[in-house]
Amino acid sequence: MPSFDAVLDPNLVEVRNAVDQTTKEIGTRFDFKGTSAAIEFKEKEKQIIVTGDSDFQLDQVRDILTNKLTKRSVDVRFLDIGKVEKIGGDKVKQTLTIKAGIESDLAKKIQKIIKDSKIKVQAAIQGDTVRVTGNKRDDLQTTMALLKKEITEAPLSFNNFRD
């Protein structure tokens, strides 16, 4: 029976490269000289920590990061931007969490969209993926197009396509 998996899977190698490029740019830019502007990637926790002297500086570093991610074709919707925290003095930090795996709310939304579409396919939530099965390959491709159009808050990708 034909099937595919809808997943949320960022390319962490490209994220690491984008963070490294951002670090280099922060080191060379004149407006960051002598400031505490920095960016750090914690791969195990899937977090990027941005520090700076002010909210404006955090925004600048985040803009550089989003530009680098976009150039490396990593969707910025993978980033879950946290609150700005004060860390002593006038320094601030912000944690950007990288979304990986479909959360249960989004998985239920995907399942509901597929059910409401009346396409002859079934969606089953399996951990952090949604497996879609159907009798016809064309139905699966129609479902992929529907999900790409309807789900705008997360960069879904489709893998494990079986015929």
Side-chain angles (χ1 to χ4, degrees), residues 2-157:
S3 68
F4 70 87
D5 292 340
V7 295
L8 207 61
D9 191 26
N11 187 345
L12 293 178
V13 173
E14 292 297 342
V15 172
R16 155 74 61 207
N17 291 338
V19 169
D20 290 345
Q21 285 182 336
T22 304
T23 303
K24 281 182 186 174
E25 188 166 330
I26 289 170
T28 58
R29 274 183 46 172
F30 179 74
D31 54 341
F32 289 125
K33 292 271 192 243
T35 65
S36 65
I39 187 167
E40 178 188 358
F41 181 47
K42 293 186 176 182
E43 210 157 334
K44 286 186 179 173
E45 294 92 26
K46 292 184 180 163
Q47 291 181 333
I48 300 171
I49 295 161
V50 181
T51 55
D53 290 336
S54 65
D55 292 350
F56 177 70
Q57 201 172 55
L58 286 183
D59 290 342
Q60 285 183 316
V61 174
R62 228 181 28 249
D63 284 345
I64 295 169
L65 177 65
T66 55
N67 287 339
K68 301 297 182 192
L69 286 171
T70 305
K71 282 182 185 172
R72 298 194 150 274
S73 65
V74 175
D75 200 319
V76 285
R77 292 179 293 173
F78 280 119
L79 296 179
D80 187 20
I81 299 170
K83 291 183 179 171
V84 176
E85 306 168 21
K86 294 212 179 281
I87 53 170
D90 56 350
K91 293 181 177 37
V92 288
K93 85 171 184 179
Q94 188 172 36
T95 304
L96 311 175
T97 307
I98 300 166
K99 295 184 221 168
I102 297 176
E103 298 153 1
S104 63
D105 295 339
L106 183 59
K108 288 176 185 171
K109 182 178 178 183
I110 290 170
Q111 213 172 19
K112 184 176 179 347
I113 289 170
I114 291 172
K115 253 184 201 160
D116 293 346
S117 71
K118 304 287 190 241
I119 301 171
K120 293 184 177 162
V121 293
Q122 293 80 38
I125 300 170
Q126 296 181 339
D128 57 356
T129 65
V130 177
R131 167 119 344 130
V132 180
T133 56
N135 289 331
K136 295 181 184 169
R137 185 178 186 170
D138 292 342
D139 290 342
L140 293 179
Q141 290 172 335
T142 306
T143 305
M144 283 182 189
L146 174 74
L147 290 176
K148 279 185 181 176
K149 190 180 91 181
E150 293 290 325
I151 306 294
T152 56
E153 67 269 14
L156 282 180
S157 56

